[in-house]
Amino acid sequence: MTTLRERKTYRKAVLRSLYGAIERNRPEVSGATLRDALRASDEDLAAACTYLVGEGLITVEWTSHKTPATVSLTHDGIRFMEEEEESGSGRSG
């Protein structure tokens, strides 16, 4: 079971990875690529993504095994990350 701190760390990492992908002109990231980049378990990645979907920051296409197939930032997610970048705070849910 992951701690609250670990869950928040995964959420931040998901957002940062997706924001970086957009900067490289890649609006979608595969769940497997994201999982490997974050060194997260399927369960931890799914939990982070579920939370961020609930916040309206990302969209996810799910596999039949309830793991992310593709993940992308929403318009609100992009604005959130731009605000984080401008403020230099780097904090999120």
Side-chain angles (χ1 to χ4, degrees):
M1 183 92 163
T2 57
T3 65
L4 176 59
R5 181 182 201 136
E6 290 169 326
R7 290 191 305 269
K8 286 184 174 186
T9 299
Y10 283 130
R11 294 173 197 158
K12 288 179 193 178
V14 167
L15 290 172
R16 285 186 190 128
S17 292
L18 295 174
Y19 191 59
I22 285 176
E23 290 176 339
R24 292 185 307 278
N25 239 2
R26 299 186 187 273
E28 286 188 343
V29 176
S30 79
T33 298
L34 195 54
R35 183 194 63 230
D36 292 347
L38 302 180
R39 297 181 182 165
S41 69
D42 285 336
E43 295 81 15
D44 289 335
L45 179 60
C49 288
T50 298
Y51 180 90
L52 295 168
V53 165
E55 294 294 308
L57 300 175
I58 67 171
T59 58
V60 177
E61 290 189 31
W62 299 96
T63 69
S64 59
H65 301 289
K66 307 289 188 215
T67 58
T70 59
V71 186
S72 58
L73 283 174
T74 64
H75 181 71
D76 286 342
I78 294 168
R79 283 192 357 217
F80 178 83
M81 291 305 295
E82 287 172 347
E83 289 170 11
E84 292 289 306
E85 186 175 27
E86 285 176 351
S87 72
S89 70
R91 65 165 180 72
S92 66

